[in-house]
Amino acid sequence: MSQVKIYALQQTIEQFRNQLSHAIHQALVDSLNYPVEKKFQRFISLATRDFIYPQDRSENYLIIEISMFEGRSNEAKKRLIRLLFTYIQQHCGISPHDVEITIFETPKVNWGIRGQPADELKLNYQVNV
């Protein structure tokens, strides 16, 4: 399970929402063997006054936060990060310098999904990749 939040200026999200959605999801699928049908994303549009970032970033600056079950190897997470940079640049033309990514891992027992604790769910995909 992965939940993705994408923070950016409103105009950046409006311009790139569909391409970002595809690039981010494809990176999850390709790096973590994540099921194609499992797409959980939230785009958080911010006004210019509410999004403070360094001057060496452009107006396309993004912050991507990914919450997921623990269990992926360090190599799988590095692969995910590299693919996110690559796919976002390919699909949107946004420089890797303008993208910051944070992965938050939590035990399955800390998730509630479809009416039960996630550690009791039978998943149709492998978490330990």
Side-chain angles (χ1 to χ4, degrees), residues 4-9 13 24 42-44 46 51-54 60-66 98-102 104:
V4 183
K5 294 181 202 170
I6 302 98
Y7 299 88
L9 291 172
I13 289 177
I24 292 166
R42 288 165 292 204
F43 286 87
I44 297 130
L46 299 163
F51 197 37
I52 311 300
Y53 51 87
N60 291 329
Y61 176 67
L62 309 168
I63 298 173
I64 300 170
E65 294 180 350
I66 303 170
D98 280 330
V99 180
E100 293 192 16
I101 303 159
T102 307
F104 300 93

Side-chain angles (χ1 to χ4, degrees), residues 86-99:
T86 298
Y87 291 173
I88 289 169
Q89 187 168 33
Q90 287 174 353
H91 292 267
C92 306
I94 296 174
S95 167
H97 186 73
D98 280 330
V99 180

Side-chain angles (χ1 to χ4, degrees), residues 7-103:
Y7 299 88
L9 291 172
Q10 182 175 356
Q11 64 263 21
T12 301
I13 289 177
E14 288 175 5
Q15 181 177 357
F16 295 111
R17 180 183 287 112
N18 292 335
Q19 300 97 311
L20 281 169
S21 177
H22 178 74
I24 292 166
H25 189 63
Q26 195 62 51
L28 285 164
V29 169
D30 291 350
S31 63
L32 304 180
N33 300 321
Y34 199 68
V36 174
E37 71 276 5
K38 304 283 185 189
K39 191 174 195 180
F40 302 96
Q41 301 174 344
R42 288 165 292 204
F43 286 87
I44 297 130
S45 299
L46 299 163
T48 304
R49 70 179 181 277
D50 295 326
F51 197 37
I52 311 300
Y53 51 87
Q55 291 182 356
D56 67 340
R57 305 307 195 278
S58 80
E59 290 183 351
N60 291 329
Y61 176 67
L62 309 168
I63 298 173
I64 300 170
E65 294 180 350
I66 303 170
S67 297
M68 67 170 105
F69 295 155
E70 65 184 359
R72 275 75 177 207
S73 69
N74 287 340
E75 283 310 309
K77 291 180 280 188
K78 287 180 181 184
R79 190 169 47 250
L80 171 59
I81 289 168
R82 287 185 186 105
L83 285 178
L84 285 165
F85 288 134
T86 298
Y87 291 173
I88 289 169
Q89 187 168 33
Q90 287 174 353
H91 292 267
C92 306
I94 296 174
S95 167
H97 186 73
D98 280 330
V99 180
E100 293 192 16
I101 303 159
T102 307
I103 298 172

